[in-house]
Structures are given as C-alpha cells and as structure tokens.
Amino acid sequence: MRELRVAGHRLEAVHHPPPDPCGPTIVFLHEGLGSAGQWKDFPKRLALRTELKETGGRISAFQAELSKSTEETLRLFRPGQVVVDLGAAPGAWSQYLRRRFAPAGAAAGGLDGRIIALDLLEFEPIEGVEVLQGDFREDAVLQALEARLAGRPVDVVVSDMAPNLSGIESSDAARIAHLVELAVEFALRHLRPEGALVCKTFHGSGYSQQVKLFKDSFRIVKPIKPKASRDKSAETFLVGLGPKPR
C-alpha cells in the first residue's frame, strides 16, 4: 500500500481487485482509514458508493446502509404497503422504498404500494411518490396528510425529521424531542397493530427519555446505528414495532 501526503492529509493508494480476474485493477486514493476492520468493510463501502451514483445521489452512505440494515434486521418493508415518509427531503427514504415496491427494483414504472412523503422543503419528484410540502408541526399540514390517508391504516412511518440546530444544547434537545414526540403520536394514531415507526434522533441530552417514550409506546424497541455512521456522530434511529393500545 502506498502512502501519499497532500495538504497535510495522509492518502493511501488502495488496489482493489476486480471481481473478474481479467478485468482492470481499480486504484482508489483514500484519506487514511486507520484500522484493519475498516479496510475489511471496504467492498461494502464501495457497493454503497455505487448505489449512490445509481440513485442520483439522494442517498447518503449513512442512509443507504441504514435502509439496508433496517431491512436485513427487521424486514419491515414489503410490496403492497402504505408508508408515510416524514421529513422526506431530499427523498432518500422515498426513493429506496420506491425501488423496494417496484418490480425488479425499477426507478420508474409500476409501483405495488403507496408512499406519501412530506417535508417543509421542496425536492425533486420521485415517480409514484405522493408529495406534500409543509410543516408537519402545523395542524393544517397534518390534516392534509390525514386526508390523503382517508382512514387507511399505515404499515410503516419513517421519520427523518431534524430541526435546525442552534448549538445551545438544552434548546436543541427540546426541538429534537418535540419532533420525536410528534412522530410517535402520529404513528400511534395511524399504524396497523403490527406496524412500525423508524425515527431519527440524536444521542445526547434527552435521548434516554426518547427511548422510554418508545418503550412505553411500542411492544419492541430497537436502536439502529449503521457502520457507515462515524463513531463520533450523534445521529441514530429508533425503531418501534407493534404500537401498544392507547
């Protein structure tokens, strides 16, 4: 392995063998990853980067591995389901689900299922995904979303909502907790008895109270933090399975 230094950064030239012995050798320049365990995961990271290109770059490495980890571990998503995607922009979850619900994982064409995406921000349309633009905290927006459902129960609620952070710990913790509480409240009202909520949150002040809220609200609770997320990142997801009767 060769080492280069550019502007003070250590770069390593990695020869990644191709699947086809007759194919070309691929060389990547990487900022030093450090541990052998990280190099062991390199083929998986390469596959994730390939997926990002194929999906138009909406999905971060974290989100790509999160959706795969959620699916492999819990098997939440199946064709024919109704899924609500809260905090949907730029469309990572909706795009992943659109492929899950389409024959042969197609990005266009028929869709066996229903995806309703909501966000305050506008984002590029995804074929077959119903998009609502507005602030989920406002009653009028929530009512518009519930009108789309027309009383039909939801199989999975995905909440990727996150507030604009101020850097003031107590204030940010309260904003995060508020969005988690709104997602839980919506899920408890609209999920099927066997439904699930996948909800973004952050480790830090108030996290233990959010875990307690999930345990009080769902029969099974699982935290998920994919390997693609750096150890120092506070971002994580809580998954609640089977809402408890209210």
Side-chain angles (χ1 to χ4, degrees):
M1 183 185 301
R2 290 187 177 183
E3 179 178 309
L4 305 173
R5 288 187 179 271
V6 179
H9 293 273
R10 182 167 62 89
L11 300 177
E12 293 164 345
V14 184
H15 292 259
H16 190 63
D20 179 1
C22 298
T25 298
I26 305 172
V27 180
F28 292 93
L29 284 179
H30 271 279
E31 196 164 347
L33 294 179
S35 72
Q38 287 174 302
W39 286 115
K40 182 179 179 182
D41 289 338
F42 184 74
K44 181 184 291 185
R45 292 169 183 264
L46 176 62
L48 286 174
R49 291 181 184 183
T50 301
E51 182 170 338
L52 301 192
K53 292 181 180 179
E54 292 176 350
T55 56
R58 292 181 197 253
I59 307 175
S60 68
F62 177 88
Q63 289 166 315
E65 191 172 340
L66 172 70
S67 53
K68 287 179 184 251
S69 298
T70 304
E71 185 61 13
E72 290 170 2
T73 306
L74 304 174
R75 303 200 179 280
L76 296 180
F77 307 113
R78 298 180 300 279
Q81 290 180 325
V82 175
V83 179
V84 173
D85 182 4
L86 303 174
W93 274 105
S94 289
Q95 186 163 280
Y96 171 79
L97 292 166
R98 195 258 177 272
R99 288 178 175 268
R100 286 285 299 147
F101 292 172
L111 184 66
D112 183 8
R114 190 177 179 197
I115 305 164
I116 304 174
L118 183 147
D119 200 283
L120 180 62
L121 303 176
E122 185 177 1
F123 60 95
E124 286 292 322
I126 301 171
E127 185 173 335
V129 175
E130 303 173 43
V131 177
L132 284 172
Q133 187 176 358
D135 190 335
F136 183 68
R137 295 167 296 182
E138 296 180 358
D139 289 340
V141 175
L142 179 58
Q143 289 168 10
L145 175 57
E146 292 176 333
R148 289 283 185 104
L149 291 171
R152 182 174 177 181
V154 176
D155 295 284
V156 184
V157 174
V158 176
S159 174
D160 206 5
M161 295 188 293
N164 293 322
L165 301 179
S166 65
I168 302 172
E169 185 177 0
S170 59
S171 175
D172 291 341
R175 293 176 184 176
I176 292 166
H178 181 54
L179 292 179
V180 171
E181 290 164 5
L182 288 176
V184 169
E185 183 180 349
F186 177 84
L188 293 178
R189 283 208 311 270
H190 295 285
L191 282 176
R192 294 181 181 277
E194 67 278 11
L197 168 63
V198 182
C199 185
K200 176 192 281 185
T201 185
F202 297 85
H203 280 287
S205 178
Y207 177 74
S208 59
Q209 287 88 345
Q210 293 163 36
V211 172
K212 182 179 185 304
L213 173 63
F214 264 70
K215 288 182 176 180
D216 290 342
S217 304
F218 298 94
R219 295 193 296 273
I220 299 172
V221 176
K222 292 182 178 292
I224 294 183
K225 188 178 178 69
K227 293 178 182 177
S229 176
R230 296 178 181 177
D231 292 339
K232 65 182 180 181
S233 172
E235 184 177 0
T236 190
F237 277 74
L238 289 172
V239 179
L241 304 169
K244 293 180 178 179
R246 302 184 74 178

